[in-house]
Amino acid sequence: MSIYKEKREQTKNSLINSFWEIYEKKSLDKITIKNITDKAGYNRATFYVHFKDINDILQCIENQLFDSFDKMFKLTDIENYDQEYLLKKSIDLFTLNTRYYRLLLSPKGDPYFVETCKEKLKTLFHSIEKNNSSFTSNNVDFFLEYTVSGLISCILYWFESQPFPVEDLFNNLYKLIAACTLLD
Amino acid sequence: MSIYKEKREQTKNSLINSFWEIYEKKSLDKITIKNITDKAGYNRATFYVHFKDINDILQCIENQLFDSFDKMFKLTDIENYDQEYLLKKSIDLFTLNTRYYRLLLSPKGDPYFVETCKEKLKTLFHSIEKNNSSFTSNNVDFFLEYTVSGLISCILYWFESQPFPVEDLFNNLYKLIAACTLLD
DNA sequence: CATATATACAACACGTTGTCGAGTTTTGAT
DNA sequence: ATCAAAACTCGACAACGTGTTGTATATATG
């Protein structure tokens, strides 16, 4: 029973890894299931034992990232966060799994993944900003949209060129976010 | 000669329009060439007379939008722009072709199109900001990345729900952009 | 009117997909 | 040791989408 599950996990991971290695080179719509199983050394039919289709294997990776996201930001702790701490942890999260985020957040990546990341970050920043009475309901949503999309784009921009150390990434972003927060 | 070109244009436009109508309902990877030609009333092979593949027909639409973009922002005039005027014209541009932008900029859309729009807007905002000596070279790029991606996301956000009149869209965005500009 | 060219079509060969039933090997239980 | 179940392989299948080629019709040119 335990060896069954282990073997199953191993095959599944092997397929996921092979998929990702191909995805790092090819765009999603050019990848065939045979590409993946050939690289992993399995029969094409084995793929369908573990996944529904190519999108399913991508979603599988994304869900793992979402799990690590949720683990990092336990909802019970949020009350004690401030903007600075939240930004720090966000940068930590993205840099920890750079290999996946730098691709998934890029134009070659998955726009729906970006969307979900944005929504998750919005929730976090909103819970911090909710005591700030200077925002009307509409303005908060607008501010969050602006902040979070800027945040993600800048982190991705930093991934690509890494023009300065991660501390400056934090400082630059913190300045920008703080400036927008202090509006009437 | 004139009848050929007219007929050609007509067929091409018919295919483009049919494609877009389908694209408004289905995601790109589910659209087949037969879908398009059936709707337009042509043989599938006719598609290949005018376009290389499905991506080519999308690029064709995008290029038309880029043309209207460039026409709106003649590079010679930029010297006389200020931040306020540039933002106004940007909002004009997007709202004028809402039908196309709201889809192409969305998660269902084309990330590479978004990327090009961002680059074009960056160039414009950069030419205005270049006199502002408070930015170092790295900081300018960073500021532009943050501003432009926030700008586009917010316009798209406004497209979806339209929670307030377009004047407020401008005012809210102007406040956010101006706040970030005034950093040391 | 004859010839050349442009447009659209019908048919073809090819690759990918998702599924199936049958067979093999490895593991677990009695 | 024996039997059952699980994981995977194999070969084959129909269905579908793709891109190309040769051909017929409409239009333009000399």
Side-chain angles (χ1 to χ4, degrees):
Chain A
M1 169 167 159
S2 119
I3 292 188
Y4 276 151
K5 283 199 177 174
E6 234 176 82
K7 202 173 183 181
R8 194 180 163 79
E9 278 298 302
Q10 198 186 317
T11 306
K12 196 170 176 179
N13 284 331
S14 172
L15 289 170
I16 289 176
N17 288 331
S18 295
F19 162 73
W20 191 261
E21 280 179 40
I22 298 170
Y23 187 34
E24 285 179 325
K25 289 171 195 155
K26 274 191 202 180
S27 72
L28 204 59
D29 56 319
K30 297 278 167 64
I31 299 174
T32 68
I33 292 167
K34 195 166 163 14
N35 288 158
I36 301 168
T37 50
D38 276 359
K39 190 171 190 93
Y42 290 96
N43 189 278
R44 195 170 63 87
T46 306
F47 180 92
Y48 293 97
V49 176
H50 298 276
F51 307 101
K52 196 175 143 278
D53 51 31
I54 297 234
N55 213 53
D56 191 33
I57 199 170
L58 181 66
Q59 224 113 43
C60 197
I61 293 173
E62 293 180 358
N63 285 335
Q64 286 176 13
L65 291 171
F66 288 143
D67 285 348
S68 77
F69 190 112
D70 294 337
K71 217 172 279 176
M72 193 139 194
F73 299 104
K74 301 243 195 255
L75 282 165
T76 47
D77 304 339
I78 291 179
E79 300 291 334
N80 308 318
Y81 288 7
D82 64 350
Q83 219 172 51
E84 188 178 350
Y85 183 68
L86 180 53
L87 177 60
K88 256 196 171 66
K89 288 203 89 172
S90 301
I91 293 176
D92 282 353
L93 178 78
F94 287 122
T95 46
L96 246 165
N97 296 299
T98 310
R99 188 186 178 201
Y100 296 101
Y101 280 113
R102 81 177 303 160
L103 189 49
L104 286 172
L105 296 178
S106 81
K108 228 193 96 178
D110 178 4
Y112 291 99
F113 178 77
V114 182
E115 209 55 24
T116 308
C117 284
K118 276 173 65 177
E119 287 308 315
K120 281 174 170 290
L121 285 175
K122 275 185 187 178
T123 307
L124 294 171
F125 275 96
H126 182 66
S127 66
I128 286 171
E129 224 54 55
K130 70 172 170 232
N131 299 324
N132 189 337
S133 58
S134 67
F135 287 111
T136 68
S137 165
N138 274 340
N139 280 350
V140 174
D141 290 343
F142 206 73
F143 161 79
L144 288 172
E145 182 68 39
Y146 191 83
T147 302
V148 167
S149 65
L151 173 67
I152 290 183
S153 291
C154 280
I155 289 176
L156 187 61
Y157 167 83
W158 184 78
F159 279 164
E160 296 308 323
S161 51
Q162 303 229 0
F164 38 70
V166 67
E167 294 82 28
D168 291 356
L169 171 67
F170 168 79
N171 288 327
N172 284 328
L173 276 174
Y174 186 63
K175 266 191 249 171
L176 288 166
I177 294 174
C180 295
T181 313
L182 297 174
L183 296 172
D184 63 315
Chain B
M1 170 169 160
S2 117
I3 291 187
Y4 272 148
K5 281 199 177 174
E6 232 176 82
K7 209 172 181 182
R8 192 181 167 79
E9 278 299 300
Q10 198 186 319
T11 307
K12 195 169 177 179
N13 285 330
S14 172
L15 289 170
I16 288 176
N17 288 332
S18 296
F19 162 74
W20 192 261
E21 279 178 41
I22 298 171
Y23 188 33
E24 285 179 326
K25 289 170 194 156
K26 274 191 200 180
S27 71
L28 203 59
D29 57 319
K30 297 278 167 64
I31 299 175
T32 68
I33 292 168
K34 195 166 163 19
N35 287 158
I36 300 168
T37 50
D38 277 359
K39 192 172 189 91
Y42 291 95
N43 186 279
R44 197 170 59 83
T46 305
F47 180 92
Y48 293 97
V49 176
H50 299 275
F51 306 100
K52 193 176 146 278
D53 50 32
I54 296 233
N55 212 53
D56 191 32
I57 198 170
L58 182 65
Q59 224 113 42
C60 196
I61 292 173
E62 293 179 359
N63 285 335
Q64 287 176 13
L65 291 170
F66 288 143
D67 286 348
S68 79
F69 190 112
D70 294 336
K71 217 173 279 174
M72 193 137 194
F73 299 104
K74 301 245 195 251
L75 284 166
T76 48
D77 304 341
I78 290 180
E79 300 291 334
N80 308 317
Y81 287 7
D82 65 351
Q83 217 172 54
E84 187 178 349
Y85 183 68
L86 180 54
L87 177 60
K88 257 196 169 65
K89 288 203 89 172
S90 300
I91 293 177
D92 282 352
L93 178 79
F94 288 122
T95 46
L96 247 165
N97 295 298
T98 309
R99 189 188 176 198
Y100 295 100
Y101 280 113
R102 81 178 303 160
L103 189 50
L104 286 173
L105 297 178
S106 80
K108 229 192 96 180
D110 177 4
Y112 292 99
F113 178 77
V114 182
E115 208 55 26
T116 308
C117 284
K118 275 172 66 177
E119 287 308 316
K120 280 173 170 291
L121 286 175
K122 275 186 187 178
T123 306
L124 294 171
F125 274 96
H126 182 65
S127 66
I128 286 170
E129 224 53 55
K130 68 171 172 233
N131 299 325
N132 190 338
S133 58
S134 65
F135 287 110
T136 68
S137 164
N138 273 341
N139 279 350
V140 174
D141 290 343
F142 207 72
F143 161 79
L144 289 172
E145 182 69 38
Y146 191 82
T147 302
V148 167
S149 66
L151 174 67
I152 289 182
S153 290
C154 280
I155 289 177
L156 186 63
Y157 167 83
W158 184 78
F159 278 163
E160 296 310 322
S161 51
Q162 304 227 359
F164 38 71
V166 67
E167 294 82 28
D168 291 357
L169 172 66
F170 169 78
N171 287 328
N172 284 327
L173 275 175
Y174 187 63
K175 266 191 247 168
L176 288 166
I177 294 174
C180 295
T181 313
L182 298 174
L183 296 172
D184 61 316

